[in-house]
Amino acid sequence: QVQLQESGPGLVKPSGTLSLTCTVSGGSISSSKWWSWIRQTPGQGLEWIGEIYHGGRTNYNPSLKSRVTISVDTSKDQFSLNLRSVTAADTAVYYCARASLPAAVEDYFDPWGQGILVTVSS
Amino acid sequence: IQVTQSPSSLSASVGDRVTIACRASQNLNKFLNWYQQKPGKAPKILIYAASSLQDGVPSRFSGSGSGTDFILTISSLQPEDFATYYCQQSYSTPATFGQGTRLEIK
């Protein structure tokens, strides 16, 4: 049973970079799956941020593409999110999740990590 | 693609039959998923491709619809079903979610 676990700082300063890591256990990140970041805010609800395949291919939500980088470390079964130039609007619970197809098109997200709250504040 | 849920909140009693609607801004064919989220937890997939029940999900949950209009039905509410429900379109990228329907105990 694959499990995902987010980790990283819970507090980031405005204009800084939000950096999170998702660790995959119970399976390999090098399986034929797509690994996503999704965030949840009270105002915007659930928002898909982007994804990566183990070979390094990425897809991003156009709304965040200019500020986002997702990378993978197959040796550690981890993938990471960097979100630059953050503001208070980026305060959210960040989840990592898996899908079998790119951007979960004709597919769905399962499983999800437990989520991590990141607050942007000075 | 925008997906809009209704109602935004709903009060019901144990044993009630409830329905939650999701309307898309364009044709999704059958590519609409339903998730359940409990406080402090991640969303959990219930129904995918409009009407397919995820393994392990109780059969009191069902989904229907195609095109732009979809329905999640809970046939007989159980205490553990009080949660927030989200629809998500999986027809095209980027994936987008409805704003949620909070199901509360009456």
Side-chain angles (χ1 to χ4, degrees):
Chain A
Q1 180 110 356
V2 171
Q3 293 185 313
L4 308 179
Q5 177 71 59
E6 305 88 351
S7 59
L11 181 64
V12 181
K13 294 187 186 305
S15 77
T17 298
L18 181 158
S19 297
L20 297 174
T21 296
C22 181
T23 301
V24 178
S25 60
S28 172
I29 202 167
S30 297
S31 59
S32 299
K33 304 294 183 186
W34 289 81
W35 307 93
S36 279
W37 287 100
I38 298 166
R39 69 181 182 179
Q40 186 171 31
T41 63
Q44 296 297 318
L46 288 158
E47 181 177 32
W48 179 75
I49 298 169
E51 65 182 356
I52 193 163
Y53 194 69
H54 65 81
R57 279 185 289 169
T58 54
N59 294 306
Y60 299 125
N61 191 322
S63 67
L64 294 166
K65 185 174 184 177
S66 64
R67 299 194 291 131
V68 173
T69 301
I70 297 175
S71 58
V72 65
D73 185 339
T74 55
S75 67
K76 296 182 179 179
D77 281 322
Q78 294 178 335
F79 63 106
S80 297
L81 169 69
N82 275 5
L83 180 65
R84 298 176 291 278
S85 303
V86 297
T87 70
D90 295 308
T91 294
V93 176
Y94 286 77
Y95 295 99
C96 52
R98 183 190 72 173
S100 295
L101 297 174
V105 171
E106 301 185 11
D107 191 28
Y108 51 89
F109 298 107
D110 179 65
W112 297 54
Q114 67 183 24
I116 184 168
L117 173 63
V118 180
T119 301
V120 178
S121 175
S122 55
Chain B
I1 298 175
Q2 294 185 347
V3 286
T4 303
Q5 289 180 235
S6 61
S8 57
S9 64
L10 176 60
S11 293
S13 301
V14 172
D16 283 354
R17 175 186 174 91
V18 300
T19 60
I20 298 169
C22 184
R23 173 164 285 180
S25 60
Q26 64 185 72
N27 183 9
L28 303 181
N29 195 339
K30 65 175 181 178
F31 298 110
L32 189 284
N33 304 321
W34 291 98
Y35 297 84
Q36 177 194 66
Q37 186 178 33
K38 295 183 178 179
K41 301 294 187 181
K44 168 191 165 186
I45 185 70
L46 296 176
I47 303 282
Y48 62 93
S51 60
S52 295
L53 192 67
Q54 175 70 343
D55 290 347
V57 174
S59 59
R60 63 181 179 273
F61 291 93
S62 64
S64 62
S66 65
T68 60
D69 292 296
F70 300 85
I71 299 287
L72 172 70
T73 300
I74 310 173
S75 60
S76 178
L77 273 175
Q78 298 302 300
E80 61 268 29
D81 300 337
F82 292 94
T84 301
Y85 294 84
Y86 294 93
C87 58
Q88 175 241 323
Q89 67 83 16
S90 60
Y91 181 79
S92 68
T93 187
T96 49
F97 294 82
Q99 79 279 17
T101 295
R102 185 175 178 182
L103 179 54
E104 301 174 318
I105 300 174
K106 185 182 288 185

